[in-house]
């Protein structure tokens, strides 16, 4: 049975596709048969990243495909161990459809109040639609300082949600890696790779098949 991990967000630019790609890379590297379903038909960032990765011959090869709806993505999941849904960049009816099908829903957020408040509202809305609380998890991305991370973590935990261990710092090397078709776990800097790997491992530990 295919396990489904969905990445959703209430705004663009918070690192949804970044995490989806990194999870896909690490799971594929570990021998898991993975597919990324890119549902952001306007941006298509994961599909573009996949093409760049293929053109540069970067291993491991990761299966990525664009879909117009979650139902189409789910229909194409047969034969894969893990389906990673890279959801639309804004909240929509599709967000609920994705969340209803997923075993785990991950919402990345920055550390500012402008990021955190709408993100919590998004998960509250899913709970109001009967999405189980235990399926919802936050990831802190684009963090500037440890103090910012600690404050944001306290806010999200006080709101009643689990936050992945570790966090993703705002570093140019992460952007450079992705610009070259790599994941955030494939930078040229071992310290940054160690930090991003810790975050992704925390995510893997929450997935039912792997946890």
């Amino acid at each position: 049975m295919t396990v489904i991990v969905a990445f959703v967000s209430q705004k663009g630019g918070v690192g949804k596709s970044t995490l989806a790609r990194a999870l896909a890379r690490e799971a594929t590297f570990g021998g898991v048969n993975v597919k990324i379903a890119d549902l952001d038909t306007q941006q298509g960032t994961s599909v573009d990243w996949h093409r760049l990765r293929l053109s540069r011959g970067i291993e491991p090869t990761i299966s990525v495909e664009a879909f117009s709806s979650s139902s189409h993505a789910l229909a194409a999941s047969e034969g894969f161990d893990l389906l990673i849904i890279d959801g639309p960049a804004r909240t929509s009816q599709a967000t609920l459809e994705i969340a209803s099908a997923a075993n785990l829903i991950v919402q990345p957020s920055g550390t500012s109040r402008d990021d955190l408040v709408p993100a919590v509202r998004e998960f509250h809305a899913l709970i109001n639609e009967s999405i189980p609380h235990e399926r919802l998890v936050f990831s802190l991305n684009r963090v500037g300082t440890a103090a910012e991370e600690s404050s944001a973590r306290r806010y999200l935990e006080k709101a009643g949600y689990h936050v992945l261990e570790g966090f993703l710092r705002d570093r140019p090397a992460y952007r450079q890696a992705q610009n070259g078709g790599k994941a955030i776990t494939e930078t040229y800097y071992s310290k940054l790779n160690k930090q991003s790997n810790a975050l992704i491992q925390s995510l893997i530990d929450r997935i039912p098949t792997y946890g």
Side-chain angles (χ1 to χ4, degrees), residues 35 41 50 53-54 72 74 83 88 93 101 103 108 113-114 116 127-128 134-135 137 154 173-174 188 200:
K35 186 182 195 69
T41 54
H50 171 60
R53 191 176 180 91
L54 286 177
H72 290 157
L74 293 171
L83 177 67
Q93 180 60 33
N103 300 99
R113 181 176 176 83
D114 287 346
L116 295 168
I127 287 177
N128 288 338
E134 60 271 17
R135 295 186 191 174
V137 63
R154 286 196 304 270
Y174 287 137
Y188 292 111
I200 298 304

Side-chain angles (χ1 to χ4, degrees), residues 42-56:
Q42 292 186 338
Q43 300 290 337
T45 53
S46 285
V47 169
D48 288 343
W49 172 82
H50 171 60
R51 290 171 180 158
L52 182 58
R53 191 176 180 91
L54 286 177
S55 70
R56 299 192 175 187

Side-chain angles (χ1 to χ4, degrees), residues 117-136:
V117 172
V120 167
R121 287 175 181 161
E122 175 68 10
F123 270 0
H124 283 351
L126 291 180
I127 287 177
N128 288 338
E129 294 291 343
S130 300
I131 301 299
H133 186 278
E134 60 271 17
R135 295 186 191 174
L136 306 175

